[in-house]
Amino acid sequence: MNALDELTDSFSRLPGIGKKSAARISNHLLKADPFFMQRFAHQIETLQQKIKPCSVCGSWTETDPCSICTDPTRDQKTICVVEQAQDVATIEASHEFHGLFHVLGGVISPLDGIGPDQLRIAELLERVKTGGVTEVILATNPTVEGDTTALYIQHLMQETSCTVTRLASGLPVGGDLEYADRLTLARSFQGRTKI
């Protein structure tokens, strides 16, 4: 295996990149500007040294605590709970949520050996009990594991005076009923609202 094959193999191990895409990227890099290549290599080399999880919310940051946790204009009484750090960026891009975040670091998945103790659930409870939080929004994915995690957190939150809500799920805007799966349709009926 030569250097090009090794690089292609490395790229193909990244999520969402298959063998063909990996080969295209590797071949593109062979023709790239040397200055770009040096900068790109340096960015990859130093990424894990520069970016760390925020000690408060668990989101990726260069400064600790992160800019969201230290922003006084954000709603300090509302926490949106997400599975992974990249979910914070997705929700932030919508410009619809103005509170704080809490990253669990995964979901409860007994088949994968992940229980509540491997997630940042204890830290969430501590934030709720000591931070004056009035609402926790559970934004876990609508999967069996995401729902299990949300129900577990909801159960733990019963000991607090905090309101627990869940993101609505169902049919996407512009979606056709004919292409919706049974679970999506079921959630759409359960989460229907009065108009």
Side-chain angles (χ1 to χ4, degrees), residues 4-191:
L4 183 60
D5 293 335
E6 289 176 359
L7 183 62
T8 299
D9 183 59
S10 293
F11 276 123
S12 71
R13 293 171 190 245
L14 297 173
I17 299 180
K19 286 279 186 195
K20 286 185 179 180
S21 294
R24 279 195 298 274
I25 293 169
S26 297
N27 282 294
H28 173 79
L29 292 176
L30 276 174
K31 298 180 247 171
D33 174 51
F35 176 73
F36 167 79
M37 289 294 293
Q38 288 177 342
R39 195 179 82 207
F40 184 56
H42 179 72
Q43 290 167 339
I44 291 173
E45 184 179 23
T46 61
L47 181 66
Q48 291 182 335
Q49 296 164 4
K50 290 182 176 181
I51 305 295
K52 302 287 183 198
C54 173
S55 60
V56 178
C57 72
S59 182
W60 297 124
T61 183
E62 277 191 74
T63 58
D64 190 24
C66 72
S67 60
I68 294 174
C69 290
T70 57
D71 185 349
T73 64
R74 296 191 78 98
D75 178 5
Q76 305 289 311
K77 296 180 183 288
T78 307
I79 294 179
C80 181
V81 178
V82 295
E83 293 178 15
Q84 302 293 343
Q86 58 264 32
D87 298 332
V88 172
T90 302
I91 293 173
E92 279 293 282
S94 75
H95 302 292
E96 291 295 321
F97 179 69
H98 306 289
L100 302 175
F101 288 94
H102 188 85
V103 178
L104 295 172
V107 287
I108 297 171
S109 179
L111 293 176
D112 297 322
I114 302 171
D117 294 338
Q118 282 83 39
L119 304 177
R120 298 183 66 250
I121 295 174
E123 292 89 338
L124 172 64
L125 289 173
E126 185 63 27
R127 286 180 75 187
V128 169
K129 290 177 181 176
T130 61
V133 176
T134 58
E135 182 183 8
V136 169
I137 303 168
L138 300 174
T140 55
N141 290 321
T143 61
V144 172
E145 294 84 1
D147 289 345
T148 300
T149 305
L151 285 171
Y152 181 80
I153 293 171
Q154 179 184 11
H155 175 72
L156 293 177
M157 289 293 166
Q158 290 175 350
E159 301 170 9
T160 69
S161 59
C162 188
T163 301
V164 179
T165 59
R166 181 105 162 97
L167 285 186
S169 60
L171 294 173
V173 174
D176 290 326
L177 284 175
E178 113 183 66
Y179 300 113
D181 60 276
R182 287 185 336 167
L183 181 59
T184 300
L185 279 175
R187 287 178 183 274
S188 298
F189 277 103
Q190 292 167 2

Side-chain angles (χ1 to χ4, degrees), residues 191-195:
R192 66 189 183 276
T193 57
K194 189 174 181 178
I195 54 171

